[in-house]
Each structure stands twice: as structure tokens, then as C-alpha cells.
Amino acid sequence: MAELNGRPVRPAELQALALTNYGHFTTMRVTDGRVRGLALHLERLRRDCRALFGTELDLDLVRSYARRAVPGSGSTMLRLTVFDPALDLGSLGGRADPAVLVTTRPAGDGAMPPPLRVRSVGYVRDQPEVKSVGLFGALRHRRAAQLAGYDDALFVDGTGAVSEGGTWNLGLIRDGEPVWPEAAYLPGTTLELLRGLRPGRSERVPLTGLSGFQAAFAGNAAIGVRPIAAVDGVELDPGHPLIAELAAAYRDLPGTSV
């Protein structure tokens, strides 16, 4: 389904999103009408709307739009995209009146997917703290990695430190504890929830230092926690017990009703 401000979206209203591609979004897994970290998703929308459009977002109204799309039972992936249908390439400096596009897609069964094998690539997204709709660079690197036989790409910043994947945050494990990379990346809601469960420590992690870690995992709202089996030629333990422990603890987090 697709609705704009609580009503069926008209194709012409998507032109700005398709051609200008200026806006931001959040994606959440809804299970039986509830979302893990809903407050984090909503705060992200508020924060990013201020950053991109200089205006406040009515979060109560956003929730009412989202509620229309949420089934009473089962799981679905819900995406809330904020953009202004009236803005185009020639009028980006105009006063913004952002709208909320609500879309859904099927969710998986929630089981942990198979481990990732990823290739490192030098890349830092534009304004990484904002979850923007401009995903060209991230998706280009994912495609190149898959064409080369990998599952995805792991970004490395200009100092040689690892940061994130295109649609997931990175966690590492050393001495039985999580290590969260210090770098410029998009702070995901799943990352924040996992850090609340096991704070661990944060530090700059150079790509050349990955051999000093026992394991690594990816995290986002769609998959929860997913093991990483290798980065380039560095093999990691996808069966490390802390990965399973974090995945189970994340699944057990109580959700909030949309």
C-alpha cells in the first residue's frame, strides 16, 4: 500500500521524490501492531525534518498515518518517507511543506539470515547522520560488491576506519564484549537498542585491525542481528555466542503500539 498524508497517493505526487530525490525516511518492522524502538524512529523523523526542511513534524499526525497501514496481527515492514511534492530542482530554496508517504512491504519470518561476506570500500555518505532518501552511493557499492561475489559492502572512511554498511550498522566482538566503531555513520535505531542491552565500548577501528576481533555482525530494523562471516580476506566467527545472545535479547524487547 502507499498513502500520502493519510490518503491514496497520486502518481504525479511522486514525481518530486523520483526526480529530485530530496527527503528522509525511517523503516521499521511492525509485529502485531508494535514496533521496537518506536520512539527512536519518531525522534529520527523529527530531527531529520528539522535538518532538511527547517520545520517541525507533527509526530502525532505521523503516527495516525502509520496506524492506518499497520495490520492487527503478523509482521510487515513499514516505511515513512518525508518529502515535499512541491519542491523541484529549481525551487529547492523555497519554503517547505513536507508530506508523509507511508508504504509497506512484506517482512521476513524473523529468523536470523545466513552470515554476510562483505567487501570493504572507501565511502562516506553525504550528511551521514541523516537517513536521507539519496542512497545512490550506498547502493552502487552494494551492487559492485555483489557483482564481485560478496553479499554487501562495508564502508571505510578517509582515515581508514570502518564505519557501516549501506543499510546496516556494524558491531564487532572482542574478548566477549561488543565494540562499536567510532566513525561518521548513520546511527540506526537497532544499534541504539543493542547498545542499551550491551553497552560495550566505542573506539576507532581501522580496517587493518579487524583481525584482532573474534566476530562481527550487522544490525538493522529489518533483520535484527546478522552475523558477518568475513570482511575481505579476514575470517570471523559467525557462530560466536554473543551474536546469538544479542539477537535473542533484541527479539525479546517489548515493542510500542503504533
Side-chain angles (χ1 to χ4, degrees):
M1 64 86 66
E3 290 190 341
L4 187 70
N5 286 353
R7 56 166 176 73
V9 62
R10 296 185 291 269
E13 292 173 315
L14 297 177
Q15 179 170 304
L17 191 58
L19 301 181
T20 306
N21 203 32
Y22 185 85
H24 62 94
F25 72 101
T26 194
T27 300
M28 59 192 81
R29 184 185 183 98
V30 186
T31 302
D32 297 333
R34 305 179 74 86
V35 176
R36 299 181 190 89
L38 178 63
L40 296 174
H41 285 285
L42 294 175
E43 180 55 32
R44 164 190 279 166
L45 290 176
R46 185 203 303 274
R47 182 178 64 244
D48 290 355
C49 192
R50 288 172 179 165
L52 295 191
F53 295 109
T55 189
E56 292 295 320
L57 195 62
D58 185 335
L59 296 184
D60 290 335
L61 195 57
V62 171
R63 289 183 74 171
S64 73
Y65 295 154
R67 204 172 293 123
R68 292 169 50 88
V70 172
S73 61
S75 293
T76 191
M77 296 305 302
L78 175 72
R79 172 167 162 158
L80 306 177
T81 303
V82 180
F83 75 107
D84 187 342
L87 291 183
D88 60 26
L89 293 177
S91 64
L92 285 175
R95 181 183 179 278
D97 184 19
V100 180
L101 176 68
V102 179
T103 53
T104 59
R105 60 180 172 85
D109 60 10
M112 184 183 292
L116 291 165
R117 302 185 72 87
V118 302
R119 180 174 76 168
S120 64
V121 60
Y123 180 70
V124 178
R125 68 177 82 225
D126 288 340
Q127 202 165 353
E129 68 276 9
V130 172
K131 192 173 179 69
S132 72
V133 297
L135 295 175
F136 171 75
L139 297 183
R140 175 172 64 90
H141 288 304
R142 172 175 286 177
R143 174 173 167 79
Q146 291 181 354
L147 289 173
Y150 296 84
D151 297 306
D152 211 339
L154 172 64
F155 301 155
V156 180
D157 69 16
T159 73
V162 297
S163 58
E164 62 177 331
T167 55
W168 44 268
N169 284 126
L170 174 68
L172 298 156
I173 298 173
R174 183 180 59 210
D175 300 328
E177 288 296 323
V179 175
W180 313 104
E182 282 186 353
Y185 61 79
L186 176 66
T189 58
T190 301
L191 172 70
E192 294 303 309
L193 293 172
L194 290 172
R195 292 184 70 161
L197 293 168
R198 288 290 289 267
R201 60 180 297 172
S202 298
E203 62 182 65
R204 179 183 178 276
V205 179
L207 178 65
T208 54
L210 286 181
S211 59
F213 294 85
Q214 288 81 50
F217 56 90
N220 69 19
I223 61 174
V225 175
R226 183 175 185 178
I228 296 175
V231 179
D232 299 332
V234 177
E235 298 291 327
L236 298 157
D237 179 12
H240 194 286
L242 182 56
I243 295 178
E245 178 185 329
L246 286 170
Y250 177 77
R251 286 194 302 269
D252 289 343
L253 285 173
T256 301
S257 176
V258 175

